[in-house]
Amino acid sequence: MDVERIGIAIESELLASFDKLIEKQGYANRSEAVRDLIRERLAQEKLKKPSGKAVAGIFLVYDHHATDLSRKLLELQHSHILQTISSTHIHLDHHNCLEVIILKGSVSELQKIADHLTSLKGVKLGRLNLMTTE
Amino acid sequence: MDVERIGIAIESELLASFDKLIEKQGYANRSEAVRDLIRERLAQEKLKKPSGKAVAGIFLVYDHHATDLSRKLLELQHSHILQTISSTHIHLDHHNCLEVIILKGSVSELQKIADHLTSLKGVKLGRLNLMTTE
Amino acid sequence: MDVERIGIAIESELLASFDKLIEKQGYANRSEAVRDLIRERLAQEKLKKPSGKAVAGIFLVYDHHATDLSRKLLELQHSHILQTISSTHIHLDHHNCLEVIILKGSVSELQKIADHLTSLKGVKLGRLNLMTTE
Amino acid sequence: MDVERIGIAIESELLASFDKLIEKQGYANRSEAVRDLIRERLAQEKLKKPSGKAVAGIFLVYDHHATDLSRKLLELQHSHILQTISSTHIHLDHHNCLEVIILKGSVSELQKIADHLTSLKGVKLGRLNLMTTE
């Protein structure tokens, strides 16, 4: 992997605030911190396109007494549109489970499946977190 | 205002994607684009603290036949906690008006007032946009 | 405008938490609060489509010594794609101005113009707030 | 769990749009859909307080050649402040791994740890997804 070195002009005051923040966060150096800002910006841009390829983490908080849910979740994960990568099940408390499903697909497909999973009876909260890898 | 020049090491591939994005957006050069990313990151950080000072733009879409609303909006703008800077009224269509209110205050106060304005009868949609200036 | 009355089954505990929240926010009654949740959900849905019609509030914090900016802002507002509705200029402090521009257009056009305005030299922070009216 | 039945007055047109959306999403009935909106609203409210209890899913995309990272991630997960519940590791492609870490803690602690993990050398993208359970 080729690495280049670029020069950035920046106001002293702004730089001082940035240095303070990235030190607090634990960055080893400015380059690492600036690269992360750039990657995050590029990722946001990609995720704006409904057809863009993404990896999704779907979080579902649900009542584990809703017995039919696990079967429905399984069915959906076997549907053709999506590529389920993994699924983690966590007992949060006496009533609530958390299911974290990692999937690949286009932004619009992933939003659709997240909406669908959230709508299932027994699911109390559904959240979609979209990422890009490239 | 003092300006410094810092060096950033970055993978060629990542840099190429960034250059492409900022050219599309219209940036004159990389320094300007990187500074904007840094400012945005610092602003996000500040707005996490409920006590942080901020400027808010509150958007309210409302039915302008809801006659009592303008009086209530005015009352609220005269309350002590907040400092209203400006207020712009726009006719969107036959039914809907948009009111954009600019205020200064702490993050938590601004969230509270936005919730309150949104709750008023006749207000159909309320949005809060928080910014920092420094 | 026709109004219907629907029945909603809800757990007592969840209802109690909701009642507490909406009283704090200032809602006159539950119907108003539920309608607002529904409108907000529908608005989110619409704004996912790049071709969806929207109203945007673009916030720009900029250094008012950057003299060329106002000319460029004006030029952009006269471009054909977008329909500028209003523009409010506010003096925040010795260095910073806030410009709030209200525009109509498709979601993708509005995102494009917000990116472009943010990229202008002198603009320190740019924010896009998208709303739908219908 | 006690269930109550409440009546909601709503404009026919707004109700028709809502019915269309929730049918598309797959909701079995309106009550389920309205309850989900209420739960999501209450969750947002809770997550505004830095001291509020939350469950976090932290997503990290990283280069798996960055050998020191797994050791550091492990160390952090053994720190006292946080309660790691689970950790899932996924091979995304030749270069990239995805680590999904589920933790419990206060909102401010979880934000801090997410910032810290994102700052580690080799981590390309970090995302924090906060949820509440109660």
Side-chain angles (χ1 to χ4, degrees), chain B residues 66-77:
Chain B
T67 49
D68 207 29
L69 189 62
S70 27
R71 191 186 53 75
K72 280 186 188 153
L73 287 177
L74 215 65
E75 260 176 38
L76 276 163
Q77 293 180 30

Side-chain angles (χ1 to χ4, degrees), chain B residues 13 47 57 68 75 84 94 96 104 107-108 111 117 119 130:
Chain B
E13 211 180 329
L47 297 174
D68 207 29
E75 260 176 38
T84 310
H94 186 62
N96 298 297
K104 272 186 184 176
V107 170
S108 62
Q111 278 172 336
L117 290 172
S119 79
L130 289 172

Side-chain angles (χ1 to χ4, degrees), chain B residues 1 21-22 24-29 32 35-36 39-40 43-44 47 55-61 63 85-86 88 90-93 96 98 100 102 104 112 114-134, chain C residues 1 21-22 24-29 32 35-36 39-40 43-44 47 55-61 63 85-86 88 90-93 96 98 100 102 104 112 114-134:
Chain B
M1 199 156 43
L21 171 67
I22 66 179
K24 205 182 73 180
Q25 280 189 245
Y27 277 105
N29 57 60
E32 182 77 13
R35 285 195 303 264
D36 273 7
R39 280 192 206 100
E40 179 60 33
Q44 284 166 15
L47 297 174
V55 175
I58 299 178
F59 289 73
L60 304 171
V61 176
D63 188 331
I85 304 176
S86 82
T88 309
I90 292 152
H91 272 271
L92 289 177
D93 55 42
N96 298 297
L98 171 66
V100 183
I102 310 294
K104 272 186 184 176
K112 206 175 147 188
D115 279 349
H116 191 64
L117 290 172
T118 305
S119 79
L120 293 176
K121 197 170 159 52
V123 175
K124 295 176 173 180
L125 269 182
R127 287 290 175 80
L128 172 63
N129 186 63
L130 289 172
M131 289 156 294
T132 53
T133 57
E134 150 219 11
Chain C
M1 198 157 43
L21 172 67
I22 66 178
K24 205 183 72 179
Q25 280 188 247
Y27 277 105
N29 57 60
E32 182 77 11
R35 285 194 304 264
D36 274 6
R39 280 192 207 101
E40 179 58 35
Q44 284 167 15
L47 297 173
V55 175
I58 299 178
F59 290 73
L60 303 172
V61 176
D63 188 332
I85 304 176
S86 83
T88 309
I90 292 152
H91 271 271
L92 289 177
D93 55 41
N96 297 298
L98 171 66
V100 183
I102 311 295
K104 273 187 185 177
K112 206 175 147 189
D115 279 349
H116 191 64
L117 290 172
T118 305
S119 79
L120 293 177
K121 197 169 159 53
V123 174
K124 295 176 173 179
L125 269 181
R127 287 289 174 80
L128 172 64
N129 186 63
L130 290 172
M131 288 157 293
T132 53
T133 56
E134 149 220 13

Side-chain angles (χ1 to χ4, degrees), chain C residues 58 60 62 66-79 84 87 89 98-101 103 113 116-118 120 123:
Chain C
I58 299 178
L60 303 172
Y62 65 93
T67 48
D68 206 29
L69 189 61
S70 27
R71 191 187 51 76
K72 280 187 189 154
L73 286 177
L74 216 65
E75 260 176 39
L76 276 162
Q77 294 179 30
H78 288 165
S79 73
T84 309
S87 167
H89 182 96
L98 171 66
E99 186 99 19
V100 183
I101 306 171
L103 308 136
I113 193 83
H116 191 64
L117 290 172
T118 305
L120 293 177
V123 174

Side-chain angles (χ1 to χ4, degrees), chain D residues 73-105:
Chain D
L73 287 178
L74 215 65
E75 259 175 40
L76 276 164
Q77 293 180 30
H78 287 166
S79 73
H80 293 298
I81 339 171
L82 288 146
Q83 214 182 323
T84 310
I85 304 176
S86 82
S87 167
T88 308
H89 183 96
I90 292 152
H91 272 270
L92 289 177
D93 55 42
H94 185 63
H95 288 294
N96 297 298
C97 290
L98 171 66
E99 186 98 18
V100 183
I101 306 171
I102 310 295
L103 308 136
K104 272 185 184 177

